[in-house]
Amino acid sequence: MKRYEQFAFVISAICAFILLLNLVGVINISSLYNTLLTALTIASIATFNVRNYKSIGIILYAIAVFMIVIYFANGMV
């Protein structure tokens, strides 16, 4: 496992834990931070998988970018 994969794994675990705390109501974060944390979690999982499964990693990166674009496009209307 390369260094960037270890870093991506730790980042995804931290983001997933924060999202879990938000889900059960321990902390309350805004929808913007919720969207950004979810996109960051997806992107870090993609980074962890991109070396072995390139197509899955690219799809996950696209989903993360698409989530952020939809969030900001929805706020502009």
Side-chain angles (χ1 to χ4, degrees):
M1 184 181 293
K2 301 213 180 224
R3 176 77 62 191
Y4 70 90
E5 290 174 334
Q6 293 172 348
F7 185 70
F9 182 75
V10 170
I11 293 295
S12 67
I14 291 170
C15 291
F17 184 70
I18 292 171
L19 289 170
L20 179 66
L21 290 177
N22 183 45
L23 182 67
V24 296
V26 175
I27 59 174
N28 189 12
I29 56 177
S30 69
S31 63
L32 172 63
Y33 292 133
N34 194 11
T35 302
L36 291 176
L37 274 174
T38 305
L40 181 62
T41 303
I42 292 171
S44 60
I45 292 170
T47 302
F48 184 68
N49 288 324
V50 77
R51 187 169 59 127
N52 296 329
Y53 310 103
K54 290 194 188 312
S55 60
I56 294 173
I58 292 170
I59 289 169
L60 288 173
Y61 282 132
I63 289 171
V65 169
F66 193 61
M67 282 179 59
I68 294 172
V69 167
I70 285 178
Y71 181 83
F72 287 116
N74 194 18
M76 301 283 182
V77 176

